Amino acid sequence: MVCSKASIMAASATWLTSLLSSPVHGLLVTGGSLEDSKEALSIAETDGRLFCTVGVHPTRCQEFEESGDPERHFQALLSLAKEGIEKGKVVAVGECGLDYDRLQFCPAETQKKYFEKQFELAQAMKLPMFLHMRAAGEDFCEIVSRNKARFTGGVAHSFTGSAEDRDSLLAFDSMFIGINGCSLKTSENLNVLKGIPIDRMMIETDAPYCDIRNTHAGMAFVKSVWSAKKKEKYENDSPVKGRNEPCYVKQVLEVVAGCKGITDVEYLSKILYHNTCRVFFPQDLDTAGDSLLESGVIAENN
């Protein structure tokens, strides 16, 4: 199974127990601020399957200015990333990018300034980027274009953009597109998904958010279900009702396969896993994934 992505906000003891008992090989605990990134590293150190990112989310970029010394704040991120790399836990810069849907939290100009600043972090640490793009495709791609030589690769996660946004991202050789429940809500979303080549795609949960719901267009392709229980009756072998869980990444896989007309779901999962390793875990790469892609064993019936 490919990696799941989880918000640090939900990293409770029961949630961590449930994710570690699920069939997920690895999980990125993402940082959204300097303090979140510190906590993400602390959590990642608790289990060999946990890894993390260091960065500042676009809606929280005001913290650079509010710190009173933006450069010192950046240096603190840099030091944290270096510490995490030495511990074998930090695998990407992020979550960073642009979010124009929530400008009430941070103005666009501030977001753009510190999104671009974080490419310095990626370049200094030789890390890929875990990226956020919401209603800001043109500015996002302009900034990435100026800095494309400064990072090793990346994924625009939780993608909900248009076909035009999709094609703009695919124009960057080192960019992948991350799909989760938020990417599968409408028929239009599914049509956009059909145009993402499988060798440029990753899948994720964004747990505990972004689950696939009964009202979503993608639900028609979901085959795997779990018996969820209320959090008051939590058990290790059951997901919590109303909360997205890392194991639900399998549902995302099923929707991608169904939407793209791919019958060999196992092969698809191997290729998507391989894509994840190419960017975040190159030490785990083998030749199997490349061989699958070169042999063309998956036929997409778009």
Side-chain angles (χ1 to χ4, degrees):
M1 187 58 66
V2 300
C3 287
S4 174
K5 177 263 182 183
S7 167
I8 191 171
M9 298 302 183
S12 65
T14 57
W15 179 77
L16 284 172
T17 301
S18 68
L19 74 88
L20 294 176
S21 63
S22 68
V24 176
H25 288 186
L27 188 143
L28 298 185
V29 183
T30 56
S33 68
L34 175 58
E35 290 305 312
D36 273 2
S37 297
K38 291 177 181 178
E39 188 176 355
L41 177 56
S42 178
I43 291 169
E45 291 182 79
T46 65
D47 190 277
R49 290 163 289 181
L50 299 179
F51 302 88
C52 67
T53 71
V54 169
V56 180
H57 191 279
T59 61
R60 303 173 76 178
C61 279
Q62 289 276 56
E63 73 173 45
F64 283 96
E65 304 288 346
E66 292 171 352
S67 71
D69 189 339
E71 183 58 32
R72 182 177 180 180
H73 198 74
F74 175 78
Q75 290 300 322
L77 282 170
L78 188 68
S79 295
L80 182 65
K82 183 177 181 181
E83 175 189 349
I85 291 170
E86 290 172 350
K87 292 179 176 179
K89 288 298 181 179
V90 169
V91 297
V93 172
E95 176 177 355
C96 59
L98 300 176
D99 190 326
Y100 290 177
D101 271 347
R102 291 178 281 181
L103 293 175
Q104 70 271 27
F105 296 114
C106 186
E109 291 305 313
T110 303
Q111 289 189 32
K112 288 191 288 185
K113 179 179 180 180
Y114 292 108
F115 175 31
E116 191 141 23
K117 180 69 173 177
Q118 290 180 78
F119 283 92
E120 292 182 27
L121 180 57
Q123 184 177 31
M125 296 291 101
K126 296 181 173 58
L127 287 173
M129 301 189 79
F130 193 88
L131 297 163
H132 180 106
M133 186 185 81
R134 191 64 50 84
E138 185 175 350
D139 285 350
F140 179 95
C141 290
E142 181 181 337
I143 292 172
V144 171
S145 182
R146 285 201 301 268
N147 294 277
K148 60 185 179 182
R150 305 177 78 182
F151 69 111
T152 61
V155 59
H157 100 102
S158 194
F159 179 74
T160 58
S162 65
E164 182 180 1
D165 290 333
R166 173 200 65 202
D167 294 342
S168 294
L169 291 173
L170 292 174
F172 298 109
D173 292 339
S174 58
M175 186 72 70
F176 289 74
I177 296 178
I179 300 299
N180 61 28
C182 288
S183 313
L184 308 169
K185 290 182 177 181
T186 68
S187 296
E188 181 181 358
N189 291 151
L190 299 186
N191 285 331
V192 172
L193 167 65
K194 290 178 182 179
I196 305 174
I198 57 174
D199 63 341
R200 298 291 297 280
M201 184 190 301
M202 296 183 197
I203 60 174
E204 57 174 341
T205 58
D206 207 22
Y209 315 110
C210 296
D211 53 324
I212 302 173
R213 302 184 180 181
N214 291 333
T215 56
H216 292 179
M219 182 56 77
F221 298 107
V222 171
K223 298 178 180 180
S224 298
V225 294
W226 288 263
S227 179
K229 297 184 179 181
K230 294 182 178 180
K231 61 182 180 180
E232 295 82 6
K233 299 181 179 180
Y234 170 78
E235 295 180 3
N236 286 352
D237 60 351
S238 298
V240 173
K241 190 173 183 179
R243 183 174 73 186
N244 197 11
E245 302 273 7
C247 63
Y248 290 161
V249 73
K250 187 176 182 181
Q251 293 183 338
V252 181
L253 173 68
E254 290 168 350
V255 177
V256 170
C259 182
K260 292 176 77 66
I262 296 171
T263 56
D264 198 332
V265 180
E266 181 64 23
Y267 271 121
L268 174 62
S269 71
K270 289 179 180 178
I271 288 176
L272 296 175
Y273 180 79
H274 180 74
N275 293 345
T276 304
C277 289
R278 283 167 64 186
V279 175
F280 299 115
F281 306 102
Q283 70 277 9
D284 293 335
L285 278 175
D286 56 33
T287 58
D290 287 330
S291 297
L292 287 172
L293 291 172
E294 291 170 2
S295 65
V297 293
I298 292 183
E300 298 184 40
N301 303 316
N302 294 336

